[in-house]
Amino acid sequence: MRAAGCDTVVDAKDLSVVGITEILSHLPKIYGLFQHLIKEADKRKPDLVIVIDSPAFNWRVARQMKKRGIPVVYYVAPQFWAWRQGRVRLIRDYVDKALVIFPFEEKFYCDCGVDATFVGHPLADLPQPTITRNDYAAEFHLDPAKYWITLMPGSRVKEVRMNLPTILEAAAQLGPEYEFLLPVAPTLDRTFLQDIIVRQNITLVPESLPALWHSRAGIIASGTATVEAAMMRTPFVMVYRVSPLTYMLGKPRVKVPRFAMVNLIAGEQVVPELVQRDFTAEKVVAQIKAILPDSPARDRMLQGLTQVKTLLRPRQSDTASPQQPADRAAEIILTLLPRK
């Protein structure tokens, strides 16, 4: 967006907080950023507003813009189908058009009275990395004869603190016959990860997709990274942990039977889910060992990941020519701009 000329008034990374209890200490800062953004909108008087993800922040932005008579588009709509379904009214009341990235979301939102269109997932058409396994191994001093396992503990500091220690424990139990790759998310500092890893033989790499593409398996925290792994057809185990209080307060509100996004998209369990107390090093190791060798379990998972990739693309009849999801979103948004 910046490359396309976007002038950043508030950076989304400053709003990135995970958990019900964790957000409390950040509220004054977030409210200050919100006020600043609204003042800038009043000064610049936009013709249309596009809010992206971040529902706790963006539905409030949408409400303020709607009060000012400015059309609002929500791209990457909130996952209210997963929890707090009553909050769909916030989208219905304050958003003119919802552009959704998961196929089942279109029906959910339309059934709730929201004008929604499935435009496809931004990761569905990711190209395969072009770097060869041998070149990648040479660049990062990896042994190409070993199985590689990608570790993705999350993209936020809090997530990493909760997830990475157990992932590292699992890696230690799996032993030195494997190479472990840990892509450094753009939102994280490399030294922060190095301080947690300490003496373990984990290779930090700059990008997730080549690591996933060349890995035999992955240990992936719940989130967008699980979709990336599916797009690279890398079998993986989904893991996740939050603070006990956040889990206790949040679990009764969850309205879906599964946590992993690939499982929700497929409508069945494609990858194992180890959440909270189930997320132990021993269970991770057992699940990883089940999908490392060629086996019916690995074949079933690969078939499921392929199906997920297919489902994340819009139906061919929905578009005259193949387009990227962002292009389809942009075309719809342009039709909503007020005529001058």
Side-chain angles (χ1 to χ4, degrees):
M1 289 171 66
R2 289 191 183 102
C6 176
D7 179 16
T8 306
V9 174
V10 172
D11 197 315
K13 72 180 182 183
D14 294 327
L15 309 173
S16 184
V17 184
V18 175
I20 296 169
T21 57
E22 292 81 357
I23 200 172
L24 295 176
S25 62
H26 291 78
L27 281 177
K29 176 186 175 183
I30 292 171
Y31 183 70
L33 293 172
F34 171 76
Q35 292 288 89
H36 178 51
L37 184 61
I38 300 305
K39 285 178 183 176
E40 282 297 310
D42 286 339
K43 187 189 303 181
R44 303 186 190 201
K45 302 188 183 305
D47 295 305
L48 180 140
V49 170
I50 306 165
V51 291
I52 304 173
D53 208 358
S54 303
F57 187 86
N58 275 330
W59 79 258
R60 291 174 170 86
V61 174
R63 178 175 62 183
Q64 292 300 320
M65 297 302 102
K66 192 71 172 177
K67 284 180 179 179
R68 290 157 173 78
I70 303 170
V72 178
V73 178
Y74 213 128
Y75 183 38
V76 188
Q79 295 177 358
F80 288 149
W81 41 266
W83 71 315
R84 305 178 81 178
Q85 293 185 357
R87 303 213 108 190
V88 172
R89 63 180 173 76
L90 301 174
I91 306 299
R92 187 173 58 239
D93 293 346
Y94 304 126
V95 172
D96 297 277
K97 182 73 177 180
L99 302 175
V100 300
I101 63 172
F102 295 110
F104 55 83
E105 290 181 315
E106 183 177 273
K107 183 179 186 304
F108 170 79
Y109 274 112
C110 287
D111 287 349
C112 294
V114 177
D115 182 2
T117 300
F118 170 54
V119 295
H121 197 286
L123 300 179
D125 294 315
L126 281 176
Q128 297 172 359
T130 54
I131 189 169
T132 66
R133 181 179 173 86
N134 285 336
D135 286 347
Y136 194 83
E139 182 176 351
F140 294 105
H141 310 291
L142 302 166
D143 184 350
K146 293 181 178 180
Y147 279 157
W148 301 355
I149 299 174
T150 292
L151 314 176
M152 299 184 72
S155 59
R156 301 177 178 92
V157 169
K158 180 71 175 181
E159 286 180 311
V160 173
R161 290 193 192 281
M162 297 298 288
N163 296 322
L164 187 52
T166 304
I167 292 175
L168 292 176
E169 190 181 341
Q173 289 185 22
L174 284 164
E177 66 255 47
Y178 303 101
E179 293 278 14
F180 298 99
L181 286 63
L182 200 164
V184 180
T187 49
L188 297 174
D189 186 84
R190 189 181 181 91
T191 23
F192 162 68
L193 292 170
Q194 288 172 328
D195 288 344
I196 298 176
I197 292 168
V198 195
R199 297 183 184 85
Q200 275 194 255
N201 188 24
I202 310 291
T203 302
L204 298 182
V205 295
E207 296 178 89
S208 58
L209 298 184
L212 288 165
W213 177 248
H214 290 298
S215 286
R216 183 70 176 180
I219 305 171
I220 316 287
S222 178
T224 304
T226 63
V227 181
E228 289 184 348
M231 297 306 99
M232 294 296 104
R233 293 188 78 247
T234 305
F236 67 94
V237 178
M238 190 224 83
V239 299
Y240 208 66
R241 181 181 288 120
V242 293
S243 71
L245 182 56
T246 293
Y247 187 76
M248 182 183 72
L249 294 173
K251 192 172 188 303
R253 300 166 182 257
V254 175
K255 304 298 182 185
V256 290
R258 300 174 180 90
F259 288 94
M261 186 52 70
V262 295
N263 292 341
L264 289 168
I265 296 164
E268 62 182 7
Q269 181 164 309
V270 173
V271 301
E273 302 179 357
L274 299 177
V275 178
Q276 215 62 10
R277 289 183 180 178
D278 284 335
F279 176 21
T280 65
E282 290 74 21
K283 288 185 177 181
V284 172
V285 169
Q287 294 288 355
I288 284 289
K289 285 186 173 180
I291 58 174
L292 282 172
D294 291 326
S295 64
R298 182 178 177 85
D299 290 342
R300 281 194 301 273
M301 190 178 293
L302 287 169
Q303 290 169 8
L305 296 179
T306 300
Q307 176 66 7
V308 167
K309 185 167 186 172
T310 301
L311 291 170
L312 287 179
R313 295 190 178 107
R315 298 175 293 276
Q316 286 301 311
S317 59
D318 290 349
T319 178
S321 60
Q323 292 175 299
Q324 294 293 320
D327 294 327
R328 288 190 286 271
E331 281 190 358
I332 294 170
I333 289 166
L334 286 172
T335 67
L336 300 171
L337 277 169
R339 293 184 181 277
K340 293 289 187 180

